[in-house]
């Protein structure tokens, strides 16, 4: 067992985290003696929320999760880095995986967390209207995805094969570094290093979905589109060639792009190609010799990663992660320099799986909601690569994820727990 806590700092945002916040953690996780289900869920959420776990700082929370799970005698617990995996061995014919990430995006004046009582001005109007008279958990990670983590920890404790005997063997995965580059993702590392830990017939990722089902996910790739020029003094610009001016053609192609809706297995996915960063120039009086436009392509699960890349840069451009700049031989950015930065495959919905279909029926019964497409990328894609059907189902609104006023109505905990407990136990 390794414990490789990374302390290099999060680079996903320019937000600077105060040292006193980074030192906040939770010593132990636990369910109070005699607590009802709702009280247990609220207590676990409060404890998890109180642990600072911005990406690269998950180690202490992973340790508390590991200790909590090791206190459950029916679980076999293993850890790799800051990912904790706990499994039952009830001798069931099928295995279900419940997975949630422990890290959150950088805080924006929304940590430490706080329970907001009804009437508090910080409760969003839409949340107050949908959940009148209800307590709300406010703070970083409330929806993405510590509420779902709390539910999974609760299930890990109570579905012990004696007091509650599930129909399936269960594997719980609490992993690190989901909110940053794919190369750091803890689930990816465990799949590569210990593939025998992540086996099963169906998986549920606790991404926020308002306790509905969101199937599959868009794939994503990020790359720099590069122009080159010749540096010169700006007073004698004719002696050079302006790389930033050349980027106008890149921006024109992006502006002309029309987002597409793609239907896959009955679910509608929205694609998009967008510039998210632009950089160039070395001085205020120097004609720039290079300009980079950082592009993010979100593609529907009707395409493989290779097919999506061909649409952007051509099938034989040779641009791969870590191999520098290549010229796009085709696609949307034909003729420009390309440097790949990040890529993750899409995942088909998998709603034809019998387990997915039965869960969807229960969710429809409890919420009235049909399955929807997951428009963002999630780790269902990793399970798809393994041949394990997977869906997103979690507490909290996906519209509030990463927002400064991230918050969760308390009843979402009970709803998610009720759906999963009924489906797992029957």
């Amino acid at each position: 067992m390794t414990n490789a806590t990374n302390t290099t700092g999060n680079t996903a945002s320019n937000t600077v985290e105060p040292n006193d916040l980074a030192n906040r953690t939770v010593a132990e996780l636990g369910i109070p003696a005699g607590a009802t289900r709702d009280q247990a869920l609220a207590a676990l959420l409060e404890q998890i929320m109180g642990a600072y776990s911005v990406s690269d700082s998950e180690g202490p929370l992973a340790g508390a999760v590991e200790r909590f799970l090791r206190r459950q005698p029916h679980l076999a617990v293993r850890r790799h880095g800051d990912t904790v995996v706990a499994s039952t061995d009830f001798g069931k014919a099928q295995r279900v995986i419940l997975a949630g990430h422990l890290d959150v995006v950088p805080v924006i004046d929304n940590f430490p967390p706080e329970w907001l009582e009804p009437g508090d001005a910080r409760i969003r109007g839409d949340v107050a209207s949908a959940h009148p008279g209800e307590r709300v958990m406010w703070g970083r990670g409330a929806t993405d995805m510590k509420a779902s983590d709390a539910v999974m920890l609760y299930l890990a404790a109570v579905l012990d094969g004696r007091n509650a005997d599930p129909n399936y063997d269960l594997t719980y995965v609490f992993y690190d570094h989901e909110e940053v580059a794919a190369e750091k993702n803890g689930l990816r590392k465990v799949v590569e290093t210990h593939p025998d830990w992540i086996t099963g017939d169906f998986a549920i990722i606790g991404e926020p979905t308002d306790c509905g089902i969101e199937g599959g996910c868009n794939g994503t790739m990020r790359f720099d589109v590069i122009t080159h020029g010749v540096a010169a003094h700006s007073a004698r610009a004719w002696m050079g060639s302006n790389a930033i001016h050349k980027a106008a053609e890149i921006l024109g192609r992006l502006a002309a792009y029309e987002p597409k809706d793609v239907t896959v297995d009955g679910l509608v996915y929205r694609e998009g190609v967008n510039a998210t960063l632009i950089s160039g120039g070395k001085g205020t009086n120097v004609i720039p010799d290079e300009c980079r436009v950082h592009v993010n392509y979100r593609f529907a699960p009707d395409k493989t990663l290779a097919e999506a890349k061909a649409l952007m840069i051509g099938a034989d451009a040779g641009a791969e992660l870590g191999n520098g700049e290549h010229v796009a031989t085709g696609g949307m950015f034909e003729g420009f320099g390309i440097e790949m930065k990040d890529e993750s495959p899409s995942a088909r919905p998998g709603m034809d799986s019998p387990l997915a279909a039965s869960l969807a029926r229960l969710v429809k019964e409890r919420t009235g909601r049909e399955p929807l497409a997951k428009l963002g990328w999630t780790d269902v894609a990793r399970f798809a690569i393994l041949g394990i059907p997977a869906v997103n189902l979690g507490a909290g609104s996906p519209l509030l994820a990463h927002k400064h006023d991230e918050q969760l109505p308390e009843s979402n905990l009970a709803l998610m727990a009720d759906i999963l407990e009924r489906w797992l136990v029957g």
Side-chain angles (χ1 to χ4, degrees), residues 305-320 327-331:
L305 195 57
E307 290 169 339
K309 186 178 290 187
L311 290 173
M312 293 292 104
I313 65 173
D316 56 353
E320 304 292 343
V327 176
T329 58

Side-chain angles (χ1 to χ4, degrees), residues 44-107:
L44 286 170
L45 177 59
E46 182 174 337
Q47 293 161 20
I48 297 171
M49 288 288 294
Y52 180 94
S53 61
V54 169
S55 303
D56 287 341
S57 304
E58 306 97 311
L61 179 55
V65 167
E66 179 185 12
R67 292 189 296 273
F68 175 87
L69 294 171
R70 287 192 183 280
R71 293 198 298 272
Q72 318 308 321
H74 59 284
L75 295 176
V77 181
R78 292 163 287 194
R79 179 171 173 174
H80 179 82
D82 287 329
T83 292
V84 185
V85 180
S87 302
T88 67
D89 187 13
F90 299 143
K92 306 295 183 179
Q94 293 178 298
R95 179 173 294 277
V96 171
I97 301 169
L98 301 172
H101 62 80
L102 298 175
D103 63 322
V104 298
V105 296
V107 304

Side-chain angles (χ1 to χ4, degrees), residues 236-250:
R236 295 174 290 278
W238 63 89
M239 297 298 293
S241 177
N242 196 309
I244 291 179
H245 292 182
K246 293 179 181 180
E249 174 63 22
I250 299 172

Side-chain angles (χ1 to χ4, degrees), residues 175-186:
Y175 60 104
D176 60 299
H177 287 96
E178 191 273 348
E179 297 287 8
V180 289
E183 64 185 19
K184 301 180 78 171
N185 186 290

Side-chain angles (χ1 to χ4, degrees), residues 106-401:
V107 304
I108 310 174
D109 297 325
N110 54 5
F111 185 89
E114 187 177 345
W115 282 112
L116 305 182
E117 298 299 328
D120 193 300
R122 288 169 293 176
I123 298 178
R124 292 171 54 94
D126 50 355
V127 173
S129 176
H131 301 273
E134 188 171 328
R135 191 166 68 152
V136 170
M137 173 56 80
W138 171 93
R140 176 57 77 223
T143 63
D144 191 12
M145 53 178 285
K146 290 189 173 183
S148 293
D149 290 335
V151 172
M152 293 178 191
L153 285 171
Y154 170 79
L155 294 175
V158 301
L159 300 184
D160 58 6
R162 300 185 303 276
N163 300 309
D165 186 20
N167 296 319
Y168 317 99
D169 267 305
L170 303 171
T171 295
Y172 304 91
V173 184
F174 298 93
Y175 60 104
D176 60 299
H177 287 96
E178 191 273 348
E179 297 287 8
V180 289
E183 64 185 19
K184 301 180 78 171
N185 186 290
L187 178 59
R188 179 189 69 82
K189 292 180 179 180
V190 167
V191 167
E192 292 177 353
T193 308
H194 303 285
D196 55 310
W197 294 8
I198 311 294
T199 60
D201 301 280
F202 185 64
I204 297 171
I205 304 286
E207 292 288 348
T209 64
D210 270 334
C211 297
I213 286 180
E214 295 186 1
C217 71
N218 277 338
T220 181
M221 64 175 60
R222 295 187 297 104
F223 50 93
D224 285 347
V225 186
I226 308 166
T227 61
H228 295 282
V230 177
H233 196 294
S234 60
R236 295 174 290 278
W238 63 89
M239 297 298 293
S241 177
N242 196 309
I244 291 179
H245 292 182
K246 293 179 181 180
E249 174 63 22
I250 299 172
L251 299 179
R253 296 184 192 185
L254 286 163
Y257 173 84
E258 296 184 1
K260 298 179 177 65
D261 286 342
V262 180
T263 300
V264 181
D265 297 343
L267 302 185
V268 180
Y269 295 82
R270 170 62 65 96
E271 294 193 325
V273 185
N274 290 281
T276 57
L277 295 169
I278 187 167
S279 62
K282 295 183 173 66
T284 58
N285 61 350
V286 179
I287 297 302
D289 61 356
E290 181 182 275
C291 182
R292 290 175 175 253
V293 180
H294 191 76
V295 173
N296 185 199
Y297 176 33
R298 301 282 178 152
F299 55 93
D302 64 330
K303 302 173 184 65
T304 65
L305 195 57
E307 290 169 339
K309 186 178 290 187
L311 290 173
M312 293 292 104
I313 65 173
D316 56 353
E320 304 292 343
L321 294 176
N323 74 347
E325 181 181 343
H326 290 66
V327 176
T329 58
M332 185 172 176
F333 299 103
E334 182 178 5
F336 288 103
I338 300 293
E339 184 173 353
M340 297 302 301
K341 295 297 185 179
D342 193 31
E343 57 186 40
S344 295
S346 60
R348 298 186 73 89
M351 296 308 299
D352 53 352
S353 158
L355 291 175
S358 67
L359 179 59
R361 286 193 296 270
L362 177 58
V363 169
K364 175 70 180 297
E365 174 189 320
R366 290 289 284 110
T367 69
R369 294 179 54 187
E370 298 282 359
L372 299 173
K374 170 59 77 175
L375 301 183
W377 187 90
T378 78
D379 279 302
V380 295
R382 300 194 190 282
F383 290 106
I385 293 172
L386 296 173
I388 302 174
V391 298
N392 305 281
L393 188 157
S397 169
L399 301 179
L400 300 185

